[in-house]
Each structure stands twice: as structure tokens, then as C-alpha cells.
Amino acid sequence: MRTRPLKVALLGCGVVGSEVARIMTTHADDLAARIGAPVELAGVAVRRPAKVREGIDPGLITTDATALVKRGDIDVVVEVIGGIEPARTLITTAFEHGASVVSANKALLAQDGAALHAAAQEQGKDLYYEAAVAGAIPLIRPLRESLAGDKINRVMGIVNGTTNFILDKMDSTGAGYQEALDEATALGYAEADPTADVEGFDAAAKAAILAGISFHTRVRLDDVYREGMTEVTASDFASSKAMGCTIKLLAICERAADGASVTARVHPAMIPLSHPLASVRGAYNAVFVESDAAGQLMFYGPGAGGAPTASAVLGDLVAVCRNKLSGATGPGASAYAQLPVSPMGEVVTRYHISLDVADKPGVLAQVATVFAEHGVSIDTVRQQSRQDGGGEASLVVVTHRASDASLNGTVEALRSLDTVRGVASIMRVEGE
């Protein structure tokens, strides 16, 4: 074993960073044995140096992250500060001064992953980011390495624990959205401002990363269709249960049937209770992968939290340190396919549409005619009169597979009918 330690700079010492430092200290001997050399925490960059950080030598704390990554004796920089800047500049500076990088920064990788990979390649350094998607779940490395010889056709998953907790509560208790969100906040699953989670921004960044790796194509955050879950209601769950389904906020990355393009999207969807993702409860994450040779695979586990995310960071740290000792680098970005990313209008899926209609003869025929005129085939229809009378009824239509554009045209035409009082909800149906 080499006795000279590999030096690690830690950028950020919050929930994840403090766990990374703790594990590096408490598991130092095991990490050294696995790597083939000891690893030493050489510096920790923070914004609030006065804060007490148990188990970390105060002499390692600095507010000058730039000076830390420029030291020249740093072997690996671990970036867990998040956001775009200063993280982007610090990472590229680290490459320029001889360090490889381990990052958990999904937003930055989704926006500028191609440029960061190019910077790493130019300097002959590693860029690893297992912790950027689905916390502790081994996902990036299996997609990038274990399935490198296979053709991945679809990746569909629950990649945000906050939204899954909220939807699970709505499903299991009948709670409304706000009530479930309040509980998630009280338990620490939701931030004070939950926008990034509930509006799908967090999941969209992860979808961009997953699509790029899976399809060997550059996919940016702007390429990902995003739809939040704040409009999901208790009535939607009642309808889903009537279909033998539940509702999840899904990140879906698909290769087109002809293989000529890909799509990446995030939105709420009904999935059958028989699908493995339907049983993912609480704040857990799970990703379902479909490929030509391996078939169907599912990766499941805690998708967030200090210790789980730190586990993924440390796994990358071990890999990068091993590469450093052997004088090699791991796999970089693979974008040889250069497939175009199709717009959401071209995505084909099933739909569940709930309409408020006049309760009188001929309404169903009118609605069915509109669907037929727009080339959307109906699978099932359920009509029920309102118990309170008033001359209105609920009409639920489930389609066969149709494009998003044709469905939107259908809905606009339905709104123009005098007998249609309103469109109560529209939801995609996935996981057939």
C-alpha cells in the first residue's frame, strides 16, 4: 500500500458534506484498504466558518474555496455546494490545477454537463457524479458501465422523495395536496420553499442526466418537458383507484420506436398497481430500466438525505482515487449517437380525461365524435350522474395511445361543445 495519502478538498459542509467528512474519518482504515492508499481531508470550504462542525479539525475550515482548489497538491475535489455558480468555476478550476472531481450537483450537470466533461477530458481528469441522481441508489455507474454493451430503450422512475411522500400520503390517507405537503414539511421531507420539488425542476435535472447517459446523446435541462404535481387532487386519486392505478411523479426518458430520436419528460402519471413503481412508498426512490438484452431492471432505495447521498459520494471517491493510483481515468461522457430530442407534442402515451358534462342523451356521442375527428381512439368510458342533481354528470374517458399534440387538439375541441361544462383533469397513464 502507498503510504503518502491522497488529498481531498471538500466544497460544502452541510447535510451531505458533513456526512462525507464523518465517513472519511470513521472509515479511514477501510477506505485506505479499498483504495490502496490513505485518503486525507486536506481542506473544507464553507460560507459560515464560525459554525461548530463536530469531528472536523477547525484548522481545515476556509471560506476561500478558490484558493483551496488551486493549491496544486489536491488530488480530488468533492463538490456538494450545489447551484450553478460558483460551483461551475470551482470545478473547472480544480481540473486546471490537477484535481479530479466528485460532484452531487444535478442542476449544474443537467445544464452544463457537456462542458464539464470536456474540461475534465482536456486535463485528463475524472468527473464522477453518482450522487446527483437518486441519492444512495447505484444508478449512474450501472447505466454508464454495467449496461454499456446493451441498448437502453426506456428509463422511468421516481427520482424525488418529497413528491413521492406527498403523493403516497394522498393515496393512502385521502389527504389533499396541501395537507400532505404540510406533513412533509413538518417531517423535514419538504423544504420551506418546495417549488423545486413539487414543480418538477429537481426531477427534470435528473431526467436530463439519465437520458444523456442512457442514449449517448447530449440532453440539457431545457430539453426536458416538465409538469409539476400541485394540481393533483383527491378526485384524481379516486379515479386512479377505479382504474386499478395510483399516481406518481415520474421522470421518463424514452428512445423512439424507430430509434431516430429520444424524449425526456417529468409529469404526474397514473400507473397500474401491478407495476413495480406503484409500490414505492414514502420518500423512497426507484428507477425502472428497460433494455434489449438485460430486459427489465429496477433500482430502489433512499433517494436523499445526508448519509445515503454521502454513500454515493464516497463510492465515487474510492473509484476516482483508484484511477489516480493506476494513472487512468474512468469513462467520460458518451454522446456519439447525437440523437435529436423530440418535443412533448410528439410523445405518444395513454390519457385519462375527466369531463363535467350535461346529463342528457347524446352527450357521449358528441364527445366520442370529437375524439374520432382528432384521431384519438377511446379505450374505456365511464359516465356517472351527480348525486346532487343539477343536470350534470362526470364523464371519464381513457384513451388508447395517442400523441400529446393530438390529445391537446381534442381537449380544445371538447371545450367548445355546449354540453361540456369543463375539463376536470387530464392525466397520462404510464407503465402498461
Side-chain angles (χ1 to χ4, degrees):
M1 177 186 291
R2 184 176 111 164
T3 56
R4 183 172 67 83
L6 294 162
K7 294 190 176 183
V8 177
L10 179 60
L11 308 183
C13 197
V15 173
V16 176
S18 60
E19 281 295 313
V20 170
R22 181 188 67 80
I23 296 172
M24 285 185 65
T25 302
T26 58
H27 295 181
D29 291 342
D30 286 339
L31 290 172
R34 294 166 192 170
I35 293 168
V39 287
E40 173 188 311
L41 189 58
V44 182
V46 300
R47 287 183 297 174
R48 295 183 292 274
K51 180 180 178 180
V52 176
R53 294 172 172 85
E54 187 176 349
I56 298 177
D57 180 356
L60 296 177
I61 301 297
T62 178
T63 57
D64 194 342
T66 301
L68 179 60
V69 300
K70 283 184 174 181
R71 272 177 39 173
D73 64 336
I74 300 296
D75 295 292
V76 185
V77 169
V78 174
E79 183 271 310
V80 289
I81 57 178
I84 306 302
E85 289 291 358
R88 173 170 50 197
T89 299
L90 290 170
I91 289 173
T92 54
T93 301
F95 292 142
E96 292 166 0
H97 287 78
S100 290
V101 173
V102 172
S103 176
N105 196 331
K106 53 187 171 288
L108 178 58
L109 288 159
Q111 178 171 307
D112 289 320
L116 293 177
H117 274 291
Q121 184 176 12
E122 181 179 353
Q123 300 297 332
K125 302 303 174 185
D126 275 324
L127 174 62
Y128 276 48
Y129 43 91
E130 184 67 66
V133 180
I137 304 172
L139 186 59
I140 300 298
R141 197 171 292 121
L143 291 175
R144 192 163 66 172
E145 299 177 31
S146 303
L147 295 173
D150 205 344
K151 179 184 177 184
I152 297 173
N153 297 310
R154 195 174 203 234
V155 177
M156 179 172 75
I158 299 162
V159 294
N160 183 278
T162 300
T163 55
N164 199 58
F165 178 89
I166 293 170
L167 292 173
D168 184 37
K169 280 295 174 183
M170 293 176 70
D171 185 28
S172 60
T173 68
Y177 166 76
Q178 189 61 50
E179 182 183 351
L181 172 60
D182 290 344
E183 182 174 353
T185 304
L187 292 173
Y189 290 125
E191 301 286 347
D193 180 2
T195 302
D197 294 323
V198 299
E199 294 294 352
F201 290 101
D202 176 83
K206 296 169 181 176
I209 296 170
L210 291 174
I213 295 171
S214 300
F215 307 132
H216 305 280
T217 290
R218 288 191 177 92
V219 179
R220 289 171 52 90
L221 180 58
D222 292 345
D223 297 320
V224 181
Y225 171 83
R226 177 193 54 80
E227 185 180 319
M229 49 156 281
T230 57
E231 300 301 319
V232 176
T233 66
S235 296
D236 292 326
F237 273 101
S239 294
S240 72
K241 288 181 179 180
M243 290 178 58
C245 293
T246 189
I247 299 172
K248 301 290 186 182
L249 184 75
L250 298 178
I252 303 172
C253 311
E254 281 184 308
R255 189 189 299 270
D258 61 4
S261 64
V262 298
T263 59
R265 49 197 166 101
V266 169
H267 53 71
M270 295 181 178
I271 57 172
L273 295 176
S274 58
H275 194 282
L277 290 177
S279 61
V280 178
R281 310 301 297 271
Y284 275 73
N285 284 192
V287 177
F288 198 73
V289 178
E290 300 176 36
S291 68
D292 275 1
Q296 297 179 335
L297 306 169
M298 188 162 119
F299 301 84
Y300 168 84
T309 306
S311 171
V313 170
L314 267 294
D316 279 350
L317 179 63
V318 169
V320 169
C321 286
R322 286 172 175 170
N323 292 343
K324 179 80 174 181
L325 291 179
S326 66
T329 55
S334 173
Y336 72 88
Q338 298 182 339
L339 297 172
V341 181
S342 297
M344 187 62 187
E346 297 178 14
V347 170
V348 175
T349 188
R350 296 175 67 205
Y351 289 86
H352 174 282
I353 304 101
S354 179
L355 305 171
D356 295 327
V357 300
D359 190 7
K360 62 182 183 180
V363 172
L364 180 56
Q366 285 185 323
V367 169
T369 297
V370 170
F371 275 87
E373 289 173 347
H374 288 79
V376 179
S377 176
I378 294 175
D379 182 16
T380 62
V381 177
R382 185 176 74 253
Q383 182 171 344
Q384 184 174 355
S385 299
R386 296 281 174 81
Q387 292 182 352
D388 57 0
E392 291 192 359
S394 295
L395 182 64
V396 175
V397 178
V398 179
T399 74
H400 287 291
R401 292 176 66 83
S403 72
D404 190 77
S406 63
L407 195 283
N408 286 338
T410 303
V411 171
E412 287 304 310
L414 288 172
R415 294 184 195 276
S416 68
L417 294 178
D418 292 339
T419 52
V420 174
R421 309 297 192 224
V423 180
S425 69
I426 304 170
M427 191 165 295
R428 296 167 184 88
V429 182
E430 301 284 349
E432 300 171 76

